[in-house]
Amino acid sequence: GIQVEQSPPDLILQEGANSTLRCNFSDSVNNLQWFHQNPWGQLINLFYIPSGTKQNGRLSATTVATERYSLLYISSSQTTDSGVYFCAVQQGAQKLVFGQGTRLTINP
Amino acid sequence: ETGVTQSPTHLIKTRGQQVTLRCSSQSGHNTVSWYQQALGQGPQFIFQYYREEENGRGNFPPRFSGLQFPNYSSELNVNALELDDSALYLCASSLYPTQPQHFGDGTRLSIL
């Protein structure tokens, strides 16, 4: 099956810093989503981005489908950005396959 | 617009018992998927229901079963609970199987 790899596994930053999270996938996909899981376990949709670039406030994402990777950018980090960021991909019409996540810690 | 709701939020069971978890899909969504998330791992696909029919299943034993009702809400049933079933169970709904999935807050299941 398709493989999804996220990097880095852990990232510790000071408030105000910028960060880039990467997601590589091993085959073509029709759906790619980025999620933020907060410390209470809630999985929040950030982007639906099978290709192209999208921006939402301090967050933006780019997916280069032909090269099978996606990037999530977080600018001017805040402590509330802490948590685990997941990339998930879908082939066809069934399951999302998740990466192992990047654990982001933003220190005040 | 009501989002995806799951109940209960927390549950404690003992080995060998049976459990039923419930999920109400987002308004207008006819597809529900269930995932299991063990501690420190990404969510793993259990199965998906589309218009009351199972539409795909992950690598989980038959003691994990489910159904979807005419209003598109769904249940996940787990029989003969094992210690390894302790996890966060997430439900997601989507407009159609190929559309973005929106997750509920999950049910945290602990097996003693």
Side-chain angles (χ1 to χ4, degrees), chain A residues 7-8 10-23 34 36 46-47 57-62 70-85 102-107:
Chain A
S7 60
D10 293 278
L11 190 55
I12 302 174
L13 299 172
Q14 291 297 122
E15 205 167 20
N18 302 329
S19 58
T20 301
L21 282 58
R22 187 177 179 102
C23 171
W34 281 98
H36 174 214
L46 297 178
F47 294 102
R58 295 182 295 103
L59 273 61
S60 64
T62 295
S70 184
L71 302 173
L72 177 68
Y73 305 96
I74 305 173
S75 64
S76 304
S77 299
Q78 301 176 358
T79 56
T80 52
D81 295 331
S82 295
V84 182
Y85 289 79
T102 291
R103 182 173 298 278
L104 177 64
T105 303
I106 305 297
N107 292 321

Side-chain angles (χ1 to χ4, degrees), chain A residues 1-4 87-91 95-99, chain B residues 35 43 45:
Chain A
I2 192 168
Q3 303 297 312
V4 182
C87 165
V89 302
Q90 183 181 28
Q91 294 180 297
K95 62 182 179 181
L96 280 175
V97 177
F98 284 76
Chain B
Y35 294 82
F45 175 72

Side-chain angles (χ1 to χ4, degrees), chain B residues 19-97:
Chain B
V19 69
T20 298
L21 310 182
R22 294 179 174 82
C23 172
S24 293
S25 59
Q26 187 168 320
S27 177
H29 288 189
N30 59 26
T31 304
V32 171
S33 304
W34 285 92
Y35 294 82
Q36 180 196 65
Q37 187 178 18
L39 201 60
Q41 304 293 317
Q44 298 291 315
F45 175 72
I46 303 175
F47 43 59
Q48 181 184 86
Y49 281 86
Y50 170 54
R51 293 183 172 176
E52 301 180 63
E53 297 289 330
E54 187 176 288
N55 186 45
R57 186 180 182 91
N59 189 26
F60 280 81
R63 58 188 186 84
F64 285 78
S65 64
L67 69 158
Q68 187 178 33
F69 299 100
N71 67 355
Y72 301 133
S73 66
S74 177
E75 285 183 356
L76 164 65
N77 298 290
V78 187
N79 294 323
L81 286 166
E82 302 177 359
L83 293 178
D84 285 348
D85 295 334
S86 293
L88 178 67
Y89 288 85
L90 294 161
C91 167
S93 75
S94 54
L95 196 57
Y96 290 105

